[in-house]
Amino acid sequence: MTDAEKVANVLDALKAAEREPAQAALSMLNGLVGLVQAEAAQPLEVEEARASAFMAICEIGKALHRGQPAKSLWQPAIEATERWKSLAR
């Protein structure tokens, strides 16, 4: 799977998880870990975008796991993932 295909899958899953109850969303986010990991070296800008998306998704996961509000965390994660998508090949 190419990096572009991975990030498209991550973005779709992220948007779908946003509409789910906390436990279902957390399960969906946990399934994204393998897709967010890099397999080969990419340009620094792509790696930074990937890392930002990963960290933003982790912030949602931490909030959901702790039972904290996550509503304000979804949009930054989606935007970070969209940035990664714009750079992925």
Side-chain angles (χ1 to χ4, degrees):
M1 182 180 303
T2 68
D3 209 38
E5 292 169 330
K6 284 182 181 183
V7 70
N9 288 338
V10 170
L11 188 56
D12 290 344
L14 190 57
K15 289 178 178 180
E18 182 180 19
R19 298 185 297 267
E20 296 295 327
Q23 286 305 312
L26 183 57
S27 178
M28 293 171 78
L29 295 180
N30 285 337
L32 298 179
V33 172
L35 293 175
V36 179
Q37 294 175 339
E39 290 181 18
Q42 296 286 325
L44 182 58
E45 188 175 38
V46 175
E47 292 299 333
E48 287 176 344
R50 178 195 309 274
S52 292
F54 180 71
M55 294 304 295
I57 292 167
C58 287
E59 288 300 314
I60 296 170
K62 286 192 302 189
L64 294 174
H65 180 72
R66 294 174 180 163
Q68 298 171 336
K71 187 174 183 172
S72 65
L73 302 174
W74 290 98
Q75 192 58 39
I78 290 169
E79 289 172 2
T81 306
E82 287 173 339
R83 169 141 172 74
W84 174 28
K85 183 178 180 182
S86 74
L87 299 171
R89 296 183 185 131

